[in-house]
Amino acid sequence: MNHTPDLGAVQRAEPADVARRIRDRRSRLGLTEQELAYQAAMAPQYLRHLLKVGPAFDPAAFVRIAVALGTTWPVLLEGRADAPPGQTDAGARPVLFHLTEPECWELMGSRGIGRIALNAEPGPAVYPVNYAVDSRTVVYRTAPRAAAPADESPVSFQVDHIDDRGSRGWSVLVVGRARHVEDLDEQQRLSRLPGTTPWAGGDRPLWIRIHPDEITGRRIGRE
């Protein structure tokens, strides 16, 4: 029976070994890096960053990678112990389903917790933020030197819910441009929306609005 590795297994996993298994599996399936990133609902540069830092950085992202590669989370993490002759794998593997844009917005709801990915050195920086949805845009509040993209800069924003024990869940990726909200009346209006008070606390006066160019989603489940 397939099982979910515990936290210790995640922490023990060698990033180089996991990256090698991913590259080998991708090669056998004939997938390009861009195709794998698309199937796993992430930007290619974020995929490359994950292969460097390993599963402990973002376990949910590696669950999506495993499903996109048609394998399981434990096999990706720890390698496969081949079954004796005449035995087959137990249990059905999860399947990745594409979501429509309306389904993506429905899953995001009116507020929640997501991750904003910003360009940085030596690799993309990812910050958790609590957000609100306002007229088909994503808004959140932050400090100028925290999860703060430059005005008009390209960003990606991700929201997901993964049940790795049940091999099911969903993920939504928003790709677009970040704009600073500087109008004081608009800031006051946004501050009254549920979910816009930063959980991290402190002085976070900068409002960011993400205008989507593309929104895509995947659902992990059983056929």
Side-chain angles (χ1 to χ4, degrees), residues 186-216:
E186 181 66 359
Q187 291 179 4
Q188 287 294 320
R189 185 186 72 81
L190 293 176
S191 68
R192 293 191 290 270
L193 295 178
T196 56
T197 301
W199 287 11
D203 184 24
R204 298 177 183 272
L206 181 60
W207 283 94
I208 304 294
R209 185 187 297 276
I210 301 173
H211 293 262
D213 293 325
E214 182 180 28
I215 177 168
T216 57

Side-chain angles (χ1 to χ4, degrees), residues 160-179:
D160 55 35
H161 176 75
I162 300 293
D163 173 11
D164 53 359
R165 291 186 180 277
S167 296
R168 57 180 176 264
W170 55 268
S171 178
V172 171
L173 178 66
V174 177
V175 177
R177 290 198 167 269
R179 294 174 183 165

Side-chain angles (χ1 to χ4, degrees), residues 10-101:
V10 174
Q11 294 173 337
R12 290 192 304 271
E14 288 291 337
D17 291 340
V18 176
R20 173 179 50 78
R21 283 191 281 271
I22 290 173
R23 285 192 293 266
D24 289 348
R25 179 72 178 174
R26 178 170 66 80
S27 178
R28 288 197 297 272
L29 294 175
L31 292 174
T32 66
E33 182 184 75
Q34 289 75 15
E35 288 169 337
L36 175 58
Y38 177 78
Q39 291 294 332
M42 63 183 66
Q45 60 267 33
Y46 188 56
L47 172 61
R48 290 192 291 270
H49 180 63
L50 289 175
L51 296 186
K52 291 180 181 179
V53 298
F57 181 77
D58 187 353
F62 281 86
V63 172
R64 298 197 306 277
I65 292 171
V67 174
L69 291 172
T71 187
T72 64
W73 165 235
V75 167
L76 190 67
L77 195 67
E78 301 169 327
R80 175 171 178 162
D82 289 335
Q87 293 188 15
T88 57
D89 291 340
R93 287 176 175 171
V95 179
L96 210 61
F97 300 93
H98 292 259
L99 299 174
T100 65
E101 183 172 330

Side-chain angles (χ1 to χ4, degrees), residues 137-161:
T137 67
V138 176
V139 294
Y140 68 94
R141 208 171 89 196
T142 187
R145 293 189 178 182
D151 194 31
E152 295 293 340
S153 63
V155 297
S156 59
F157 182 79
Q158 187 172 43
V159 183
D160 55 35
H161 176 75

